[in-house]
Amino acid sequence: ARRYPVFYLLHGWAAIAESWQVEGNAGVVMDNLIAQGRAVPMLVVMPLGYGDMSFVTGGFGQWNDESRISNNLGRFSDALLSEIMPQVEAGYRVAASRESRAIAGLSMGGGESLVIGLNNPDTFGWVGGFSSAVMYGDFDKVFPGVGSPKAAAPRLLWVACGTGDDLMAPNRRLIAWLRSKGLQPAAIETPGIHNWPVWRDNLIQFASLLFKPPADH
């Protein structure tokens, strides 16, 4: 009879919906965290993270065009909010509240998670990005509602990156911008590059914090 919180976990560019399972061992990580009492029982949803498949089939040059990044992200955001989440909430015993929803991902999925999570503050209470692709020229344009008095701050805003990752600089810039808007992101820097050992560790740390009172963080 219990309803569980739900964690939307997104993969990176050139990956597939199963990547967090096959390469990230997410199922093993989560089973162990829950069995050890380090994470609360939850559902983890790992959808295919492309709003426009040409964004990946068109090659890495897509990342040089901010309009292409925005188009892919906007379409995926629409699919997540209007298709994926309603299916999850209709088919599984999940709690449909802001406090019971988390979103995070790696690289492309980290960028998607931060933009979708922060631009939908009434939908997601827990937001994270691992080595996030946030190479935006104007954060005010990408995150129009951040800093608004009407927008509730996330229960947890977690921004992590490996110190040897090329995305370290844009993530530091984002963290500084978020702080300038009055938010208090947890800025996590760990040794490592843009690879799975970093992201598995990010998942362990982030999932251990979800859906708990602040004193337990």
Side-chain angles (χ1 to χ4, degrees):
R2 179 177 177 182
R3 290 194 175 272
Y4 293 91
V6 57
F7 174 19
Y8 293 88
L9 180 61
L10 309 182
H11 62 78
W13 187 83
I16 57 175
E18 293 82 7
S19 291
W20 263 110
Q21 281 281 66
V22 176
E23 298 177 271
N25 302 121
V28 175
V29 168
M30 296 304 302
D31 281 347
N32 278 303
L33 289 176
I34 292 169
Q36 295 164 8
R38 295 169 60 190
V40 303
M42 68 184 81
L43 273 76
V44 183
V45 179
M46 294 170 273
L48 187 66
Y50 305 109
D52 178 358
M53 288 304 297
S54 69
F55 186 70
V56 64
T57 59
F60 192 75
Q62 302 291 309
W63 287 101
N64 297 323
D65 185 342
E66 198 164 316
S67 68
R68 297 287 296 145
I69 300 172
S70 178
N71 176 65
N72 177 69
L73 194 152
R75 287 174 176 241
F76 174 70
S77 176
D78 290 343
L80 178 68
L81 297 171
S82 67
E83 298 178 37
I84 297 168
M85 289 177 57
Q87 287 187 38
V88 169
E89 292 174 4
Y92 297 88
R93 296 197 63 81
V94 298
S97 68
R98 173 188 191 267
E99 289 72 23
S100 300
R101 294 194 199 99
I103 186 169
L106 69 91
S107 195
M108 177 189 76
E112 290 173 337
S113 297
L114 292 170
V115 174
I116 294 170
L118 291 174
N119 284 337
N120 294 276
D122 294 334
T123 302
F124 296 100
W126 313 78
V127 180
F130 314 154
S131 308
S132 302
V134 287
M135 302 86 72
Y136 298 108
D138 185 353
F139 288 139
D140 288 295
K141 180 179 178 182
V142 178
F143 300 95
V146 170
S148 167
K150 297 180 180 179
R155 295 280 299 274
L156 174 66
L157 175 54
W158 207 83
V159 184
C161 197
T163 53
D165 194 321
D166 290 343
L167 291 172
M168 186 77 260
N171 274 269
R172 284 174 174 164
R173 190 168 68 87
L174 175 64
I175 289 165
W177 179 85
L178 290 169
R179 287 173 174 162
S180 76
K181 295 293 182 178
L183 294 183
Q184 297 179 325
I188 310 299
E189 296 187 5
T190 59
I193 57 174
H194 201 74
N195 64 5
W196 279 106
V198 170
W199 303 326
R200 290 189 201 104
D201 181 66
N202 290 163
L203 175 61
I204 292 167
Q205 304 306 321
F206 182 73
S208 300
L209 302 175
L210 294 179
F211 314 121
K212 295 179 179 179
D216 293 342
H217 287 180

